[in-house]
Amino acid sequence: MKRTRFPAVATAASLVVMLSAAAQGCGGDEGPAAPPVPEQELLAAMEAAIQDEYHAEEVYLKVLHDFGDVLPFHNIVVAEVRHSTSIGRLFENRGWSVPTSEWNGDSVPGFATLAGACAAGVEAELANIALYDELLARDLPADVERVFENVRAASLNNHLPAFEGCR
């Protein structure tokens, strides 16, 4: 089942295929390390992270559907897919099933204006950074920590400034 119904925009699933090679740079391809946190806590942390990335994908895809191929949403949705793919590899490396998205175009907000969407992007990226701050405060396996740090850095250094500058 596709997570979106927007034919004018590449679906998240097709972006995953297009970006599989690029996702290797996010550090998600190493084998699993012995988790220093209980397995259920690690699983919950990884599920929270991937669902947050899926949510961002769907929100930004909806903006693209509603307003056309606008920046920075076009570039950032590609990055969000790369992030969820990297987190998905963490699940696969442990022999766990990659969770499916809880989100679709009907379950995320729409915006009346592009400026409103940009403001929501700022808030979403701030919440994403806070989530990773919380998750990274745990004693995570090295591969999980590396992926989470990379995703957090992209939100802080790339996505947040892009949304702050968009209109």
Side-chain angles (χ1 to χ4, degrees), residues 102-121:
E102 297 173 356
W103 306 98
N104 62 57
D106 294 329
S107 64
V108 296
F111 305 97
T113 66
L114 185 56
C118 291

Side-chain angles (χ1 to χ4, degrees), residues 64-166:
L64 292 172
H65 174 263
D66 292 345
F67 295 99
D69 193 20
V70 294
L71 294 176
F73 293 93
H74 173 86
N75 294 341
I76 294 176
V77 76
V78 171
E80 298 297 351
V81 172
R82 197 169 43 245
H83 300 167
S84 63
T85 300
S86 294
I87 297 167
R89 282 199 180 96
L90 296 172
F91 283 89
E92 291 169 347
N93 289 344
R94 288 167 171 73
W96 299 341
S97 297
V98 178
T100 59
S101 179
E102 297 173 356
W103 306 98
N104 62 57
D106 294 329
S107 64
V108 296
F111 305 97
T113 66
L114 185 56
C118 291
V122 169
E123 293 304 315
E125 295 301 330
L126 289 171
N128 180 265
I129 293 163
L131 171 66
Y132 284 107
D133 285 345
E134 177 187 326
L135 297 176
L136 286 163
R138 302 171 187 189
D139 189 18
L140 299 169
D143 61 331
V144 175
E145 184 174 331
R146 185 172 36 260
V147 170
F148 285 7
E149 285 175 346
N150 288 342
V151 173
R152 182 192 179 282
S155 290
L156 178 65
N157 300 321
N158 301 332
H159 305 180
L160 181 59
F163 283 131
E164 289 173 333
C166 91

Side-chain angles (χ1 to χ4, degrees), residues 27-88:
D29 286 335
E30 289 85 27
V37 295
E39 186 174 282
Q40 287 302 327
E41 184 179 335
L42 178 61
L43 180 61
M46 289 169 44
E47 286 177 347
I50 202 166
Q51 289 302 328
D52 192 67
E53 300 304 323
Y54 288 154
H55 181 259
E57 289 172 26
E58 289 301 329
V59 170
Y60 302 160
L61 283 170
K62 190 168 189 172
V63 170
L64 292 172
H65 174 263
D66 292 345
F67 295 99
D69 193 20
V70 294
L71 294 176
F73 293 93
H74 173 86
N75 294 341
I76 294 176
V77 76
V78 171
E80 298 297 351
V81 172
R82 197 169 43 245
H83 300 167
S84 63
T85 300
S86 294
I87 297 167

